[in-house]
Amino acid sequence: MKAEKKTKIVKTIRIDVDQCNGCRACEVICSAVHAAPKFSSNNPARSRIRIIRDPLRDIYVPVLAGEYTVAECAGRDKYMIDGKEYDECSFCRASCPSREEFKEPDSGLPLKCDMCEDEEDGPQCVKWCLVDALIYEEREEEVAEDEGPETLEIGLESLADKYGLETLMETMARMAKKG
Amino acid sequence: MRYAETGFNLEIDLTRGNIEKVATDPRDTELYLGGLGTNAKLLWDRVPPEVEAFDPENLLIFGAGLLCGTPATGCNRTIVSTISPQTKLMAFSMMGGFWAPELKYAGFDKVVLRGKSSELVYIWINNDKVEIRDASHLKGKGAVETAELIQKELNQPKAQVAAIGMAGENRVYYASIEQGRSSASRGGIGAVMGDKGVKAIVVRGTKDINIAQPAEYLGLCNEVLEYIKYREDHPIPGVMPILAGLGSPQEMKVHDEKWHTENFMWGNSRTRRKDFWNDEIAEEWTKTMEDSRTRLISCYNCPMKCGATISMPGLPTYMMKCFSKLTYTMAAFSDLDFGLRIAQKATEYGLDGFSTPQVMAFALELLENGILTDDDFPGMPDDSEGRFYWLLDRIVRREGIGDILADGTYWAALKIGKGADAYAHNNIKKTEQLPLKLSMLNPIYFLMYSTGEKMNITQIEGQFPQAPFPKREHREKFVEDWIQVPDDRFKQYFLDWEPRGENSMPFYPTVPMVCDIVDWQERMHYIDDALGMCAGLSSFPLKPPYHIHNYPKFITSGAGIEMDEEKLTKAAKRYRTLVRAVNIRRGMRRADEAPPENHWKKRFPELETELLDAYYELKGWNNDGIPTTESLQDLGLDYVSEDFIKRGILDK
């Protein structure tokens, strides 16, 4: 049976690194809008957007804070784009032990972009970026509603193949008892 | 709690290696605001006139403006103040970039250096942790190179570095302090930094800056952003492109250099090349710029793109802003390719892009005229470009003739003698000026040039159009939305200003009008310099987003200091007068207040006397340019008048 489709809104900030002038206004306003009370202070070290910048190498990458991760990647790759070398982390949104980005400076607690959901006019970094490096877009995406169970079955099958169905069931029962 | 400012200065005694975090007096903020204002107060209080530029008692102050680090767009200036080796007066060169906000986030409003380190050091400010570190391995390194090396050795890519090059280390009188895409270049402050044995000041800060009335303040900031957008869509018609928009003159963006190359002087500010610009040159220079310019870039929290990253084939990348694009080119009678190449070297050496080319052109003129001889230039190549490179290398090392030239045209001419002073012809207060030689006296510019203590016309002029518009209907259109004027009478001055006839220069605007206009223009620059606002969004361009009507609100809601237009005007007058007082105490008088003799062909000595007389009176200065006891008392500067009386500068 074919899965039922439904649409959802995906909030997107289209980041045009060629337009970025490296001014960090996005960091300024982000930290101000998330201050408590709102706008009462600002501090780019608290911002949930960072410009990874290396002016002499013409590298300007605005990155929005994503999920927290407990461990850094095992390997870190390099990307060559238009003759410029980027560290993989330049594009990574994680608050990660490997770097100081996206952590509260005092507590070290991770920061995450909330797309300024409390602001009527959307993400403030976009509003403050007059050079159009950040453009807010909403797009509709079709997602299969019952995709979840199907995917789960495929996953469980592969585990059963690997460990045997019996071991898998025993493990599940033990996990269920633990709650 | 202190708002907008941190309330602390970092005091470093380089002789003893002592570092102190000193709380400042909030009453001083109210009286002198911050940045230049409070810098001037420190210099008045602590550097008596007997102290010379290279004495250990001289202070070198890096002051962040009062509103730096707040969300106010374009507020990022560091105001560097000291006693200049070149003028022997107070220097207050400024730089944009990223340094001042970072200092505020580190928890300091100023870094105050005194004494001298016996070894070359750099200062590393990481929030509250401050270290004086060995910099012997950085000796002779370029300013841009130094910044990179330090960021790497500290593993601090986000640290902001203000550094000197070889010129500063060797105390060249026009050495700059370089920082990212910006530099504080005028007055030889880089030489004072080198004399103190400091290669760089490195800052990283991760603390908050607080705002007194958050919602009001952000409302104002948003209005400014809206206005910037509006002005981008509405350039001012009828003026040349670089004056039509906001920001510094958009030299990195604009390719048409007809106006500069045909109206500014070439060589040692001598030769006008009226038919220089043609299609072929336009095409060649455009290609040079487009091939080397990788990106247009900005200072902290500013959407204007006044700078650019420049990568000339075969040379390290550097960042350039504004008119240094053409100063070397024109001084050497060369092309843009040469200009951008030698500027790379000069940026690493850390040199002022206005003075340096002129000093070199001056030397070559002396050679041409037999005042210097071939023996003074052993091994110098024959071509103009080669000569400029040769001279540049000798100046920054103070080798041979370079040692004399390193003091600038004024002092070099004194040393050389034999009539060399006639060739140091483009100075005001011993400082080389933009190479402009014009025809008819402009009374407004006469006063700004004469009485300016910033030594650089671009940091004095602005707000009021440089020339009348030919048609009345255009003038009427211009004044329609001219909200920045402090009073509607300025609109009338402009409406009645004609290119020819009775209401034209030099006798119109009339003397009182000229005084009024100059006072307004100067006031706006001084306010910017205390708040840390870039002149490019405020005092320099026509119809800027910041002006006398919204500034008081920014200060009230940002810094929590009750402010209105009158109080702000008075505060600006107070520290402007204090700057003058520092200089008066160091011997500056009316006789020093003159533009170069040949700046205009048609001069009007009587009118010029009248202009100075009237302006001094408006400013509350006596006929010798000294602030009077009465005006000092009115500004609460009684301590200045007492000092003046004690020293016999003023009568009891």
Side-chain angles (χ1 to χ4, degrees):
Chain A
M1 198 182 96
K2 225 167 167 229
E4 196 86 356
K5 297 274 186 178
K6 75 166 199 178
T7 58
K8 73 171 188 183
I9 302 288
V10 181
K11 293 177 177 177
T12 303
I13 293 176
R14 192 161 55 79
I15 299 167
D16 186 344
V17 297
D18 290 334
Q19 297 302 318
C20 181
N21 60 348
C23 80
R24 300 168 63 194
C26 50
E27 298 181 12
V28 174
I29 191 61
C30 176
S31 65
V33 80
H34 289 99
K38 191 163 136 186
F39 303 135
S40 62
S41 69
N42 95 95
N43 175 3
R46 291 189 202 284
S47 170
R48 295 138 197 240
I49 180 167
R50 301 292 163 96
I51 303 183
I52 309 291
R53 59 197 287 285
D54 187 349
L56 292 177
R57 272 151 219 92
D58 196 45
I59 285 173
Y60 295 84
V61 189
V63 183
L64 292 130
E67 291 300 329
Y68 162 77
T69 176
V70 286
E72 60 189 273
C73 296
R76 284 188 230 160
D77 301 331
K78 300 272 191 192
Y79 285 80
M80 293 297 295
I81 304 171
D82 280 344
K84 290 183 273 185
E85 187 182 284
Y86 293 81
D87 200 287
E88 187 180 17
C89 306
S90 303
F91 305 103
C92 181
R93 302 182 56 182
S95 171
C96 160
S98 73
R99 62 175 180 184
E100 66 170 292
E101 309 295 358
F102 306 137
K103 288 171 199 152
E104 284 281 359
D106 338 302
S107 61
L109 288 172
L111 295 161
K112 188 182 170 190
C113 168
D114 57 2
M115 296 297 264
C116 290
E117 54 194 10
D118 296 336
E119 300 303 309
E120 273 171 21
D121 49 357
Q124 296 298 295
C125 55
V126 172
K127 186 179 159 191
W128 272 53
C129 182
L130 298 198
V131 298
D132 293 341
L134 306 174
I135 304 281
Y136 182 71
E137 285 169 356
E138 284 182 0
R139 60 171 203 271
E140 285 186 356
E141 228 172 51
E142 280 198 334
V143 288
E145 186 137 41
D146 53 356
E147 202 175 18
E150 258 179 28
T151 322
L152 177 63
E153 209 173 303
I154 296 167
L156 285 174
E157 256 174 36
S158 70
L159 284 174
D161 286 347
K162 188 171 178 184
Y163 297 104
L165 190 57
E166 206 164 313
T167 319
L168 183 63
M169 284 171 69
E170 275 169 19
T171 311
M172 301 265 295
R174 201 164 55 239
M175 279 170 76
K177 252 189 229 165
K178 271 191 200 161
Chain B
M1 197 202 276
R2 301 281 275 268
Y3 297 101
E5 62 178 348
T6 67
F8 292 98
N9 288 347
L10 182 63
E11 292 266 0
I12 300 180
D13 182 337
L14 294 154
T15 308
R16 295 158 190 240
N18 188 50
I19 300 168
E20 258 176 282
K21 182 176 179 172
V22 178
T24 56
D25 187 341
R27 283 171 302 185
D28 278 346
T29 312
E30 203 160 340
L31 291 172
Y32 310 97
L33 305 182
L36 171 66
T38 36
N39 281 9
K41 178 74 166 63
L42 285 173
L43 280 177
W44 173 270
D45 286 347
R46 289 167 54 182
V47 185
E50 301 76 32
V51 171
E52 302 217 27
F54 296 146
D55 287 342
E57 294 82 10
N58 188 13
L59 299 182
L60 179 63
I61 308 167
F62 290 72
L66 176 62
L67 300 181
C68 285
T70 73
T73 295
C75 199
N76 50 44
R77 306 276 279 177
T78 310
I79 296 88
V80 190
S81 307
T82 188
I83 301 303
S84 157
Q86 191 177 23
T87 64
K88 297 179 176 287
L89 303 173
M90 174 174 168
F92 50 104
S93 202
M94 291 157 289
M95 55 190 179
F98 294 79
W99 198 90
E102 199 72 33
L103 183 71
K104 296 287 270 294
Y105 298 132
F108 301 104
D109 299 316
K110 292 185 201 300
V111 178
V112 185
L113 303 179
R114 66 178 189 275
K116 280 190 200 197
S117 164
S118 51
E119 305 294 329
L120 194 64
V121 295
Y122 74 87
I123 294 158
W124 167 219
I125 304 163
N126 187 5
N127 289 320
D128 277 325
K129 206 173 126 212
V130 182
E131 293 170 40
I132 301 173
R133 295 172 66 106
D134 174 46
S136 52
H137 58 301
L138 301 170
K139 193 171 161 45
K141 297 272 190 244
V144 182
E145 199 186 357
T146 296
E148 281 235 290
L149 287 168
I150 293 177
Q151 284 173 333
K152 212 169 265 174
E153 104 181 19
L154 296 172
N155 192 24
Q156 289 281 347
K158 284 172 185 277
Q160 302 297 339
V161 183
I164 56 168
M166 203 189 282
E169 286 179 41
N170 292 328
R171 308 198 301 185
V172 175
Y173 282 13
Y174 38 95
S176 61
I177 298 170
E178 301 283 329
Q179 178 251 313
R181 61 162 296 286
S182 302
S183 62
S185 299
R186 301 294 272 169
I189 51 175
V192 175
M193 187 153 155
D195 179 66
K196 296 206 171 296
V198 177
K199 181 71 178 171
I201 308 183
V202 188
V203 192
R204 174 76 180 127
T206 58
K207 298 198 230 177
D208 299 348
I209 290 295
N210 298 306
I211 297 297
Q213 297 160 22
E216 288 81 352
Y217 194 75
L218 258 289
L220 291 164
C221 292
N222 280 316
E223 278 172 24
V224 160
L225 281 182
E226 286 303 318
Y227 193 76
I228 290 173
K229 279 195 265 184
Y230 170 81
R231 282 285 278 105
E232 264 179 17
D233 299 337
H234 298 83
I236 292 171
V239 297
M240 65 180 123
I242 54 166
L243 296 177
L246 296 172
S248 297
Q250 300 291 297
E251 281 297 303
M252 299 298 107
K253 211 185 300 182
V254 172
H255 293 305
D256 183 356
E257 289 294 0
K258 181 178 169 62
W259 190 79
H260 278 130
T261 54
E262 295 188 352
N263 286 288
F264 281 49
M265 298 290 152
W266 294 66
N268 183 24
S269 193
R270 292 281 189 203
T271 313
R272 187 159 171 199
R273 298 168 86 179
K274 269 190 171 163
D275 298 310
F276 173 78
W277 195 251
N278 57 39
D279 289 348
E280 202 184 319
I281 293 173
E283 200 182 314
E284 187 197 314
W285 288 26
T286 302
K287 188 173 168 5
T288 301
M289 193 44 135
E290 299 220 309
D291 286 353
S292 62
R293 187 188 64 198
T294 36
R295 188 181 294 255
L296 291 168
I297 52 174
S298 306
C299 294
Y300 184 76
N301 192 22
C302 180
M304 308 313 298
K305 293 187 262 192
C306 309
T309 321
I310 305 282
S311 299
M312 294 301 283
L315 293 179
T317 300
Y318 71 108
M319 290 172 266
M320 174 180 262
K321 63 268 147 191
C322 212
F323 196 58
S324 48
K325 172 185 174 186
L326 292 186
T327 51
Y328 291 95
T329 297
M330 290 178 69
F333 288 96
S334 188
D335 57 15
L336 185 60
D337 183 78
F338 164 75
L340 295 183
R341 284 180 177 279
I342 196 166
Q344 186 276 327
K345 217 167 183 195
T347 303
E348 288 286 14
Y349 283 151
L351 283 164
D352 175 28
F354 281 10
S355 285
T356 311
Q358 212 161 109
V359 172
M360 298 194 286
F362 156 84
L364 294 173
E365 217 182 53
L366 292 179
L367 174 63
E368 232 170 78
N369 289 280
I371 291 173
L372 293 173
T373 67
D374 286 338
D375 295 343
D376 296 309
F377 302 89
M380 183 171 75
D382 288 331
D383 63 308
S384 179
E385 287 84 0
R387 290 174 157 198
F388 267 68
Y389 281 117
W390 189 91
L391 284 166
L392 190 71
D393 285 344
R394 265 136 205 94
I395 287 169
V396 298
R397 292 177 178 80
R398 284 190 170 273
E399 273 171 21
I401 190 70
D403 189 31
I404 292 166
L405 296 173
D407 292 352
T409 55
Y410 175 85
W411 298 105
L414 276 188
K415 261 192 203 159
I416 294 164
K418 299 185 222 165
D421 57 331
Y423 297 83
H425 68 105
N426 199 35
N427 294 339
I428 301 176
K429 292 167 188 158
K430 306 182 179 70
T431 311
E432 294 79 14
Q433 300 297 312
L434 269 179
L436 267 168
K437 300 291 163 193
L438 305 162
S439 172
M440 171 60 78
L441 174 89
N442 177 327
I444 302 171
Y445 275 75
F446 169 81
L447 270 190
M448 291 192 295
Y449 275 121
S450 300
T451 62
E453 279 156 88
K454 300 175 73 170
M455 315 307 180
N456 215 51
I457 194 66
T458 57
Q459 294 293 326
I460 304 168
E461 66 186 346
Q463 307 271 337
F464 202 81
Q466 294 189 6
F469 292 4
K471 287 192 182 143
R472 186 160 184 108
E473 63 202 74
H474 290 160
R475 302 198 289 269
E476 276 167 0
K477 187 95 193 118
F478 180 82
V479 303
E480 255 173 30
D481 60 352
W482 201 8
I483 53 164
Q484 291 81 359
V485 288
D487 186 282
D488 275 351
R489 65 179 184 269
F490 289 90
K491 293 184 182 174
Q492 202 57 47
Y493 299 164
F494 182 68
L495 282 172
D496 296 338
W497 194 16
E498 305 268 0
R500 273 168 295 279
E502 214 169 284
N503 273 6
S504 72
M505 290 191 288
F507 295 106
Y508 190 94
T510 64
V511 170
M513 291 176 192
V514 170
C515 293
D516 209 9
I517 293 166
V518 172
D519 183 59
W520 170 35
Q521 302 197 75
E522 189 189 67
R523 185 197 321 162
M524 297 321 296
H525 276 285
Y526 272 81
I527 294 172
D528 287 348
D529 299 347
L531 303 184
M533 185 59 69
C534 176
L537 285 180
S538 178
S539 48
F540 181 75
L542 298 167
K543 299 185 180 173
Y546 294 100
H547 43 78
I548 191 65
H549 308 302
N550 61 6
Y551 261 156
K553 297 178 199 165
F554 268 95
I555 297 169
T556 303
S557 60
I561 298 167
E562 262 327 301
M563 195 57 71
D564 56 34
E565 288 177 30
E566 200 185 331
K567 200 175 158 194
L568 179 56
T569 297
K570 192 160 184 180
K573 189 173 181 186
R574 181 177 298 117
Y575 56 80
R576 194 273 169 265
T577 305
L578 196 54
V579 169
R580 170 145 295 233
V582 171
N583 290 335
I584 288 290
R585 200 164 67 162
R586 304 189 79 83
M588 189 189 77
R589 293 294 182 272
R590 182 176 182 135
D592 300 299
E593 304 223 284
E597 254 173 60
N598 58 4
H599 189 81
W600 294 283
K601 251 193 214 124
K602 291 177 203 152
R603 298 288 291 260
F604 297 81
E606 270 174 43
L607 173 63
E608 291 172 19
T609 306
E610 210 186 312
L611 281 164
L612 261 190
D613 286 349
Y615 190 63
Y616 281 178
E617 199 184 329
L618 174 79
K619 291 294 217 184
W621 307 338
N622 72 17
N623 221 28
D624 210 10
I626 304 168
T628 62
T629 304
E630 202 184 14
S631 70
L632 288 167
Q633 282 172 348
D634 179 53
L635 294 167
L637 299 174
D638 304 59
Y639 56 89
V640 173
S641 72
E642 281 159 29
D643 187 84
F644 279 180
I645 290 165
K646 212 161 62 191
R647 290 175 188 274
I649 294 169
L650 282 177
D651 293 331
K652 222 170 197 167

